[in-house]
Amino acid sequence: MAKVGNNIVTTGLSGKLGDIIVFRNVNGKTIVAAAPRERTVEPSEAQLNNQAHFQEAILYAKSAVADDTMKAAYQAAAKEGQSAYNVAVADFMKAPQINEVDLSNYTGQPDSYILVRATDDFNVAEVTVAIQNADGTEVESGTAQLEPGTIWWRYTATATNESLDGDKIIIRVTDVPGNLTEEEKSL
């Protein structure tokens, strides 16, 4: 792929030259690339799933930039050469991550807490925590609160949990488009 700067011959040029090269005008720059080849094999199941996911990302991005508040938020996160639309597509394509779970301050008593370090390429929207006994019955669940100025979320216990042996902590993190990442920890 070649990039052509301010050139009197190619400035503003776009289109396909035979089956050899393609010219595209992107942000005032002319991009020259090899012409795409026609597919000769059927796409795999994984490729079809990826195409469907990308189509959903396109629909999400279109609706996000149609909302002035969302568009402004995505535009604020855009790097040079990116649009709010590009950032919204990328946000939809990538789920948030659970980087660390700190259970050291959870004692099973009210006001003890669980810390979750969660990140996303744009913004983590919500972190929820569910605590289950070894037999699968729920002790409690709720939404964690973002610790000001950090990427740590704190879930403060409200119920008494008599026995922690074999208990499960289920952490769910969602981002703005609704992508969900889930992790389970055992006590």
Side-chain angles (χ1 to χ4, degrees):
M1 176 172 68
K3 295 180 183 178
V4 180
N6 191 7
N7 180 312
I8 194 166
V9 175
T10 60
T11 298
L13 187 63
S14 68
K16 188 174 175 184
L17 180 60
D19 290 331
I20 302 170
I21 57 177
V22 175
F23 296 93
R24 290 190 194 121
N25 192 326
V26 178
N27 295 330
K29 294 181 183 175
T30 302
I31 308 292
V32 182
R37 295 189 186 127
E38 195 170 317
R39 290 186 139 275
T40 57
V41 295
E42 290 296 315
S44 68
E45 184 75 25
Q47 288 171 322
L48 290 172
N49 289 339
N50 194 44
Q51 289 172 7
H53 188 61
F54 190 72
Q55 287 173 335
E56 291 171 4
I58 297 302
L59 293 173
Y60 170 77
K62 286 180 180 180
S63 67
V65 297
D67 178 295
D68 291 338
T69 304
M70 289 293 295
K71 182 178 181 178
Y74 279 123
Q75 192 60 55
K79 296 179 180 137
E80 185 177 337
Q82 282 186 316
S83 66
Y85 177 83
N86 299 135
V87 177
V89 168
D91 188 27
F92 187 91
M93 294 296 289
K94 187 174 181 193
Q97 293 181 320
I98 299 171
N99 306 103
E100 188 175 346
V101 177
D102 180 357
L103 303 173
S104 64
N105 296 301
Y106 179 67
T107 63
Q109 297 301 311
D111 294 327
S112 62
Y113 58 91
I114 296 167
L115 292 173
V116 178
R117 187 166 61 93
T119 56
D120 185 60
D121 58 335
F122 177 66
N123 194 13
V124 172
E126 183 178 62
V127 175
T128 61
V129 175
I131 302 169
Q132 294 179 351
N133 282 324
D135 65 2
T137 58
E138 185 172 288
V139 175
E140 64 177 297
S141 65
T143 304
Q145 301 302 312
L146 180 63
E147 294 281 288
T150 73
I151 57 173
W152 286 93
W153 295 73
R154 178 190 296 245
Y155 177 75
T156 304
T158 58
T160 301
N161 188 356
E162 297 297 331
S163 173
L164 302 181
D165 290 336
D167 282 10
K168 290 187 229 175
I169 311 294
I170 302 165
I171 299 100
R172 293 181 181 97
V173 178
T174 55
D175 63 3
V176 175
N179 294 315
L180 172 69
T181 300
E182 184 174 295
E183 188 171 316
E184 187 176 295
K185 295 284 187 182
S186 296
L187 293 176

